[in-house]
Amino acid sequence: MWWEAVCVLLGAPMVLGITELLQNSDFEVDEFRPEDGAWYPNGCDADWDSESYTGNHSVKVTNRGDNWGGIAYDLTLPGSKNYYFKAMIKLLNTHPGSLFAKVQVMLGVYESSGSPKYVTVGEVRFMEPQMWQVIGGDFSTPADVKKLHLYVQILDADVNYLLDTSTLHEIPTIPSNWRSQADLAIEKYRKADLNIRAMGSPDALKDLTVEVNQEKHEFGFGSAVSAAMIVDSRYKAYQNFFYDNFEWGVLENKLKWRQMEWSEGHVDYDTALNAIDAMLKHGIQIRAHNMFWAVEKNVPQWQKGMTGQTLWKQMERRIQGVIPRTKGKVEHWDVNNEDVHGHFYEIGTGDANVTMWMFREIHKLDPHVKLFLNDFGVVKDRYSTQAFYDQAMMFKNTPNVPLYGLGIQSHLEPPIDMSVLKYRLDQILATGLPIWITELDISEPVDDRKADLYEDVLRLYFSTPQIHGIMFWGFWDGRHWKPVAALASGQSVTPNAAGRRWQKLFKQDWRTVDQVRPLSTGQATVRGFKGRYSLTLKRRGVTLHNEDVILGNGGTNLTISMAGLGDTLHVSNILVG
Ligand SMILES: *[C@@H]1O[C@H](CO)[C@@H](O)[C@H](O)[C@H]1NC(C)=O
Ligand SMILES: *[C@@H]1O[C@H](CO)[C@@H](O)[C@H](O)[C@H]1NC(C)=O
Ligand SMILES: *[C@@H]1O[C@H](CO)[C@@H](O)[C@H](O)[C@H]1NC(C)=O
């Protein structure tokens, strides 16, 4: 199927119709020359090295004179196309005293006139030395592109590295019929068969019908909410819209450390817990966001400047204070939010792997809660995708790190190129980890266009089997960090075109309701969206029995035994299996 066909194996010159555009892409030839169509040293030395990621050799880059000094490639490519570059890199050292180096793939773009423009194609801000990691990203060529200059840049000039297994290829254009293909995938992956067998005498089965209604999705459809508004009686319309249109909730702010503890030692647990309890009462499932926030501007003010043991103790206190209170109530935690974009706790403690420690500590106190890496720019921007991939793979491959899955935020803005969005998503699917879309919003001011964009993005995500849930980052323009992205507006929280589109998808297209089947033959099947169902057994319109059933992976078989006749007809037994 389409999402499986597009699979790029690093180092292979031609994979499933994808043409490698680089010469000597695996560095298997000892030839580095400054001409069009070859890797060459620019402001550095380049030597053939017998250590490799694939094949028998890599290139070793040393004696870099400047930040920009490194291995480079000049090339000419057609205009108005999208490309993906990636390569494996292993840093041989960091700048003395630094835990990390900032590694970038840069592109100088020369058009027929004017000076070159420099584009960051890929960036890993916090790369550790002595391990192979991927660096790269996508770019698009302007219509009148003349020449491109691709190079690896490291912000400390004294960092040496090996580079191997490079690839540059065109991003395949998403098929024009992708929506119908996505619908086939939705049919295949999101639905299952509910087989109902009724046992009893022909007289008992006569005129018997079953009505099947989906009560809840297996897939997580949810939104962020304001902890204040979800419990404040002045915001009934806000609450009603939320409960009517979503099945999962996440507090926008009130579980964040800075918001819970404005001044050191004075922790407000109640605001968050009251909001969570209110949602739980309505059957909402909860994501928790976030235990720590890696970006310095978002940590509690009083914490800035804290280092070493002082900071460790604060982190322990935070985990021990929060986790016992949310245990059993929340199903997910974002552990160290946006760790690809900030490293406050790594740098503060001097421990490059402190985030792995956070995962273990939370897991010890709540072994059932699912722990996530959560980041932005993963599918929205060109340059953070591989950084997130690297981090995910490092966590996945380190023993005893209880990483469950990856949160891709998805704060999107038009224009959205679905080919590129999907290609970035595919990079993350390659981790093999479960994925949630955690903070979806699309800032499009024209309502009808916004509706179409949301539908496309939702359809792409919902058709991807590795994605298990989609959370909007708010829904009401009266309470949204980007009001133009909202689904509903005004005092009465009225759905706009995008909101109505969401309701159509969530309540009709992707939900199985009002399915009535006769049971007189003793057998009926409903193929429905996975989730929780209510079954109503009726005879000539009179309800005999109600039953809740879970329709999960692989389908569900239900055997209903009928006993009695006429007025005494009743269900004697129900067997699920
Ligand atoms: C790597 O070395 C082996 C053993 O010498 C050789 O058979 C193989 O062809 C080499 N691979 C490449 C890609 O040059
Ligand atoms: C961090 O963990 C990674 C993966 O297990 C390991 O390779 C690396 O050496 C660790 N870094 C430090 C500074 O301990
Ligand atoms: C349902 O019953 C069918 C036919 O007996 C069987 O092949 C299938 O494995 C059953 N499915 C489940 C989920 O038990």
Side-chain angles (χ1 to χ4, degrees), residues 524-538:
T525 294
V526 175
R527 185 162 176 85
F529 286 95
K530 294 175 203 170
R532 198 184 69 223
Y533 280 80
S534 81
L535 264 55
T536 309
L537 219 57
K538 287 185 181 174

Side-chain angles (χ1 to χ4, degrees), residues 33-245:
R33 54 196 158 77
E35 310 168 5
D36 207 28
W39 284 109
Y40 70 95
N42 192 25
C44 67
D45 293 343
D47 296 297
W48 211 33
D49 199 273
S50 61
E51 188 181 341
S52 69
Y53 184 76
T54 49
N56 299 329
H57 291 91
S58 66
V59 63
K60 183 175 182 176
V61 177
T62 55
N63 203 17
R64 299 172 52 239
D66 221 320
N67 292 343
W68 54 263
I71 192 94
Y73 203 115
D74 290 342
L75 66 160
T76 45
L77 290 173
S80 307
K81 287 183 181 295
N82 298 313
Y83 295 93
Y84 211 94
F85 170 80
K86 57 184 172 176
M88 299 306 298
I89 191 169
K90 178 176 176 176
L91 306 186
L92 299 174
N93 62 293
T94 53
H95 182 68
S98 298
L99 294 169
F100 311 103
K102 180 167 167 176
V103 183
Q104 293 173 313
V105 174
M106 300 297 295
L107 186 73
V109 182
Y110 296 73
E111 295 178 68
S112 30
S113 61
S115 45
K117 294 189 182 72
Y118 287 89
V119 174
T120 306
V121 169
E123 178 174 283
V124 182
R125 289 199 200 180
F126 306 101
M127 189 173 273
E128 285 189 63
Q130 302 303 341
M131 53 180 113
W132 284 105
Q133 298 189 71
V134 61
I135 177 89
D138 58 89
F139 59 90
S140 51
T141 48
D144 63 341
V145 62
K146 228 176 82 192
K147 191 184 96 165
L148 299 157
H149 174 63
L150 181 74
Y151 61 104
V152 175
Q153 168 165 289
I154 301 182
L155 259 50
D156 295 310
D158 53 355
V159 174
N160 301 320
Y161 61 90
L162 303 177
L163 197 80
D164 201 5
T165 324
S166 66
T167 178
L168 175 69
H169 51 263
E170 200 180 323
I171 293 181
T173 306
I174 200 163
S176 56
N177 66 343
W178 75 267
R179 291 178 189 84
S180 52
Q181 296 192 25
D183 284 342
L184 291 176
I186 289 170
E187 182 68 29
K188 175 173 172 186
Y189 293 110
R190 301 300 179 196
K191 285 183 166 181
D193 287 337
L194 175 61
N195 298 313
I196 303 159
R197 204 145 71 103
M199 315 271 279
S201 68
D203 273 352
L205 302 187
K206 192 163 170 270
D207 298 329
L208 202 62
T209 58
V210 62
E211 187 177 320
V212 174
N213 279 294
Q214 187 175 12
E215 302 281 329
K216 184 150 191 174
H217 291 87
E218 177 190 79
F219 191 85
F221 287 121
S223 174
V225 295
S226 148
M229 289 179 182
I230 205 68
V231 294
D232 183 335
S233 58
R234 286 172 301 172
Y235 293 97
K236 272 283 170 238
Y238 175 88
Q239 295 162 17
N240 291 343
F241 190 95
F242 174 72
Y243 291 128
D244 193 33
N245 290 287

Side-chain angles (χ1 to χ4, degrees), residues 253-261 267-269 272 288-293 298 300 302-303 311-326 333-335 345 357-358 361-362 365:
N253 291 319
K254 292 297 180 184
L255 278 173
K256 292 171 181 168
W257 197 352
R258 188 181 166 94
Q259 303 255 347
M260 289 176 85
E261 196 173 347
V267 189
D268 169 20
Y269 295 110
H289 173 86
N290 49 53
M291 183 57 66
F292 301 102
W293 200 336
N298 298 308
W302 50 262
Q303 214 169 86
L311 193 54
W312 280 108
K313 286 270 172 304
Q314 295 285 357
M315 290 157 59
E316 277 173 2
R317 181 174 63 84
R318 161 88 173 149
I319 293 174
Q320 286 161 10
V322 175
I323 293 299
R325 289 177 167 87
T326 58
W333 265 106
D334 292 332
V335 174
Y345 296 99
W357 170 86
M358 296 171 184
E361 289 300 299
I362 296 172
L365 295 183

Side-chain angles (χ1 to χ4, degrees), residues 330-402:
V330 309
E331 299 184 38
H332 297 176
W333 265 106
D334 292 332
V335 174
N336 192 15
N337 199 37
E338 301 172 357
D339 199 36
V340 156
H341 292 91
H343 256 31
F344 178 79
Y345 296 99
E346 284 84 351
I347 291 162
T349 59
D351 181 341
N353 289 330
V354 70
T355 301
M356 296 183 187
W357 170 86
M358 296 171 184
F359 274 77
R360 285 191 292 266
E361 289 300 299
I362 296 172
H363 182 75
K364 267 191 229 160
L365 295 183
D366 187 354
H368 296 297
V369 74
K370 292 173 173 155
L371 303 181
F372 283 76
L373 291 168
N374 185 54
D375 230 300
F376 69 90
V378 175
V379 294
K380 177 182 180 286
D381 299 323
R382 66 169 64 84
Y383 49 84
S384 297
T385 316
Q386 295 300 342
F388 194 51
Y389 172 90
D390 280 334
Q391 192 179 46
M393 291 308 286
M394 183 163 97
F395 276 54
K396 183 184 171 179
N397 293 331
T398 302
N400 305 320
V401 177

